[in-house]
Amino acid sequence: MRVNLATQVLSETVSNIMMAYSSSETQETATFLLMMDKFFDCCNSRPEMSGQKRKPFLAPYTSVNDSRFNFLKETFLNYLANWKASIDERKGNFTKDDKSKMFLSSQTYQGLRLTVYSLEDVVKFLLNHGFEYVLTSKFSQDPLEEHFGRHRQSARRSANPSLQTLGVQENKFRIQRTVATSITPKGNTRGSKRPKEGITVTTSPLKRRKKSSY
């Protein structure tokens, strides 16, 4: 799964196009896309760049009373809760499995709720302990995903590696980090393409070795 491609679909741009050119039957889908776009923005606040237009929800968090907290809890989560309640109360000959397909998976729903409340707690904690601003785009589990993704890639078809296998792979990764100038991961992580610190690549010729006399 590529997260960056998902965010391009669940975006304000697609929502606006659907609202402008699609039929009334797609309005709820457009609303869902807009909600997810704002949710993603709240989770990816970035530094302000001069000369560039920016969406208001991408601004850094500077106050514990930021209006985005109210949007996340009162608007976004209530939107999902009302959606779920309307399905639970829907009349008709629908099985439990049928209704589950009309809403997000339970894991996704609980994950969104957990993310909202955790995000608010972490941002407010940092602001109350001396941080001038908080950039939520820096909250990332990419290093963990990248690391264990390399383990899965190295294991090939082995879905249940032993402790010894993990130890061998860890040693291999340690050697690679020592030798490689940069490691660009594959998958849905951003990764870092910066050269490894302490290594300078140069095209200058090597010093000639003095011939030793025997």
Side-chain angles (χ1 to χ4, degrees):
M1 181 184 69
R2 299 300 297 272
V3 177
N4 62 325
L5 299 181
T7 55
Q8 292 177 22
V9 176
L10 304 174
S11 66
E12 182 180 9
T13 301
V14 178
S15 175
N16 291 339
I17 292 174
M18 293 185 69
M19 288 184 176
Y21 298 103
S22 299
S23 64
S24 58
E25 296 178 353
T26 63
Q27 295 303 303
E28 285 302 321
T29 302
T31 301
F32 171 71
L33 297 181
L34 184 60
M35 286 287 182
M36 292 304 301
D37 178 81
K38 291 183 177 180
F39 168 75
F40 288 144
D41 288 350
C42 290
C43 297
N44 287 280
S45 62
R46 301 186 179 95
E48 295 185 2
M49 304 294 290
S50 60
Q52 291 185 357
K53 292 183 178 179
R54 68 176 300 121
K55 298 160 71 176
F57 277 26
L58 285 175
Y61 289 86
T62 57
S63 171
V64 294
N65 298 317
D66 196 293
S67 60
R68 283 170 288 188
F69 297 136
N70 183 68
F71 163 79
L72 288 171
K73 292 192 300 182
E74 303 299 330
T75 304
F76 180 67
L77 289 185
N78 280 345
Y79 167 78
L80 296 179
N82 292 335
W83 179 9
K84 186 176 185 301
S86 66
I87 294 173
D88 294 337
E89 299 170 0
R90 185 173 182 177
K91 297 180 180 180
N93 189 21
F94 299 107
T95 64
K96 187 176 181 180
D97 184 60
D98 292 335
K99 289 188 175 182
S100 67
K101 295 177 181 178
M102 301 177 188
F103 188 60
L104 307 173
S105 67
S106 59
Q107 295 87 348
T108 300
Y109 179 52
Q110 294 302 325
L112 290 173
R113 287 174 52 85
L114 179 63
T115 300
V116 167
Y117 288 111
S118 300
L119 180 72
E120 180 185 20
D121 287 346
V122 171
V123 172
K124 288 184 176 181
F125 175 84
L126 294 175
L127 292 175
N128 286 328
H129 285 76
F131 279 71
E132 183 178 349
Y133 60 89
V134 177
L135 305 176
T136 51
S137 61
K138 300 299 182 181
F139 299 162
S140 174
Q141 63 182 19
D142 282 359
L144 287 176
E145 290 193 30
E146 176 187 336
H147 182 74
F148 288 104
R150 295 183 67 200
H151 271 289
R152 288 194 299 271
Q153 187 179 19
S154 298
R156 302 291 180 178
R157 296 184 179 181
S158 176
N160 189 22
S162 64
L163 182 61
Q164 182 180 6
T165 302
L166 288 175
V168 171
Q169 291 178 177
E170 280 290 343
N171 287 333
K172 182 174 68 174
F173 298 156
R174 191 177 297 112
I175 295 173
Q176 289 176 347
R177 286 193 295 268
T178 304
V179 177
T181 57
S182 65
I183 298 176
T184 304
K186 297 181 180 180
N188 64 346
T189 60
R190 298 175 186 175
S192 176
K193 297 183 180 180
R194 293 178 299 178
K196 185 177 178 181
E197 295 181 2
I199 295 180
T200 303
V201 179
T202 177
T203 58
S204 58
L206 296 174
K207 294 182 179 180
R208 293 186 177 183
R209 297 176 59 183
K210 294 182 179 180
K211 293 183 179 181
S212 57
S213 57
Y214 297 97

